[in-house]
Amino acid sequence: MSHSDLLFIPAMRMWPPILREEPMRYSAFSIFRQALSGNRNWTPAWREPEPKPHYDVIIVGGGGHGLSTAYYLAKEFGVTNVAVIEKGYLGSGNVGRNTTIIRSNYMLEGNEPFYELSMKLWEGLEQDFNFNAMVSQRGIVNLFHSDGQRDAYARRGNAMKIHGVDAELLDREQVRRMMPYLNFDHARFPILGGLLQRRAGTARHDAVAWGYARGADSRGVDLIQHCEVTGIRRDVDGRVLGVETTRGFIGCNKLALATAGHTSVTGRMAGLELPIETHVLQAFVSEGIKPVIDNVITYGAGHFYISQSDKGGLVFGADIDYYSSYAQRGNLATVEHTIEEGVSLIPGLSRLRVLRVWGGVMDMSMDGSPIIDKTPIDNLYLNCGWCYGGFKATPASGFCFAHLIARNEPHHVARLLRLDRFRRGFAIDEGGKGPQPNLH
């Protein structure tokens, strides 16, 4: 890539790459060629290897962040003796259970450069890993409903521009021309304008996992599915030796945890008590309708966000279920709350049927911002605390985590995402809500 601030590629590779047969490239020509053979010659997207006794790096968690970390470790840093261990199937967690929004419209120094790195990686991702992730930069509008909220969004937009990120403050009539179907004359929450980031949009969530998995596998990474980690083995000095799994012990030089809502569980296996709570976040899809919403919208009078998929269904969500849970399902009170917010913003939603609802397990940090850092255990690395922002961060999270693992030092855009920032008093509280995870 040409962005000097994106990539840090060492002058020499840390491990020799594993030479493997060149994977099949996807293209319009390959589709035509396979059709001539009756589609009998497609090869599997990735292997199903047996775990080796020992790896240089083991990544626990086969979601978007774990797979992207493995991909960038192999592609950018030459670390190919890597295993990704997943207790279910690849992409069975939050990466396939979200509302697919990608954006970089943050304000604080610890977040904005990081998410802008992610946005730049999104923009070249499909060409990079040769997979159609359906990245659609349709824009996002954050609506505001009061003078105070307008000033807050103006401040955020100015902070974005300071970091070289696109931002436009729209007035009421500009928003009306873009989205005439909104409830502009709501008695309590009239729409006064919005903050627009045109480069934001959506991506196909599970395709992102598949693309990273295929790219990592083609570079020699072992993707081990249906293999649950049951313990972390350490020596007398506390250093990690490897992981106990349902398929036996697997040793490693370095262990990386990217287990999202189960971070507190896997961290506890190594004796760590982490500043993380686990909460469920529900997502919804309506029946398919003709195109009406051609961008992403967030409701400033509540935590509601919505876009329209290529199949015509409206994809939306709102707040987490405010109690801790590891279940991938939510409660009816939150369903009612979400639908009420949606109909308040777009009255026409009341005429649609909801076809599907599901839950993702969120790792909520104390300040609403993520953690990418080494732990007090020398060879144990941590990637967690993503709250609502995990999917949009997938590329930058993987790249920065790979940088940390390979170089043993943080990438410069992730240097503030430290585990000890809570003890040191350097919280990155984007919403100003204090140390209560379920409010972020």
Side-chain angles (χ1 to χ4, degrees), residues 92-281:
S92 58
N94 293 347
V95 71
R97 293 171 169 267
N98 62 77
T99 51
T100 74
I101 298 170
I102 60 175
R103 60 183 177 87
S104 61
N105 55 349
Y106 284 78
M107 183 177 71
L108 298 183
E109 174 65 26
N111 282 328
E112 180 55 36
F114 175 84
Y115 283 100
E116 177 59 13
L117 166 61
S118 203
M119 196 71 246
K120 290 177 179 177
L121 291 171
W122 278 116
E123 289 171 327
L125 185 63
E126 294 166 306
Q127 291 75 26
D128 186 44
F129 63 24
N130 183 228
F131 203 90
N132 181 14
M134 299 173 67
V135 175
S136 172
Q137 291 182 272
R138 61 186 69 181
I140 185 170
V141 177
N142 301 112
L143 300 173
F144 57 79
H145 309 268
S146 68
D147 292 343
Q149 203 168 40
R150 178 202 60 214
D151 294 346
Y153 281 167
R155 181 186 180 200
R156 185 197 295 190
N158 288 333
M160 292 166 63
K161 288 189 171 186
I162 288 172
H163 287 96
V165 181
D166 61 304
E168 301 172 42
L169 196 66
L170 307 179
D171 62 26
R172 178 186 176 95
E173 293 309 312
Q174 288 174 303
V175 174
R176 190 191 296 273
R177 286 194 295 270
M178 292 178 63
M179 297 167 284
Y181 48 83
L182 299 180
N183 186 4
F184 284 86
D185 298 316
H186 192 292
R188 186 177 179 188
F189 303 115
I191 296 171
L192 302 183
L195 179 65
L196 168 64
Q197 185 186 20
R198 295 188 184 275
R199 292 168 52 243
T202 61
R204 171 72 185 271
H205 43 30
D206 42 14
V208 173
W210 301 334
Y212 275 124
R214 180 172 174 270
D217 172 82
S218 70
R219 290 168 171 82
V221 173
D222 284 353
L223 308 178
I224 304 170
Q225 304 180 77
H226 307 290
C227 179
E228 183 175 359
V229 172
T230 58
I232 296 175
R233 186 183 296 183
R234 300 166 64 187
D235 63 17
V236 293
D237 297 321
R239 187 177 176 83
V240 171
L241 299 175
V243 291
E244 306 285 354
T245 77
T246 51
R247 297 172 66 173
F249 174 76
I250 308 173
C252 64
N253 295 334
K254 296 182 177 182
L255 179 63
L257 302 181
T259 53
H262 290 85
T263 297
S264 56
V265 176
T266 51
R268 204 168 291 126
M269 293 177 185
L272 297 177
E273 291 293 332
L274 299 171
I276 298 292
E277 285 186 4
T278 299
H279 294 265
V280 176
L281 177 62

Side-chain angles (χ1 to χ4, degrees), residues 17-23 46-47 214 216-221:
I18 297 174
L19 298 178
R20 301 184 63 237
E21 182 180 348
E22 184 71 17
W46 54 79
R47 299 165 295 131
R214 180 172 174 270
D217 172 82
S218 70
R219 290 168 171 82
V221 173

Side-chain angles (χ1 to χ4, degrees), residues 18 48 90 119 184 198 240 274 338-339 349 364 415:
I18 297 174
E48 292 285 351
L90 296 179
M119 196 71 246
F184 284 86
R198 295 188 184 275
V240 171
L274 299 171
T338 302
I339 300 301
L349 287 182
M364 307 294 291
R415 69 191 185 281

Side-chain angles (χ1 to χ4, degrees), residues 77-96:
F77 300 99
V79 185
T80 57
N81 186 22
V82 177
V84 177
I85 299 178
E86 168 56 45
K87 70 175 181 179
Y89 57 88
L90 296 179
S92 58
N94 293 347
V95 71

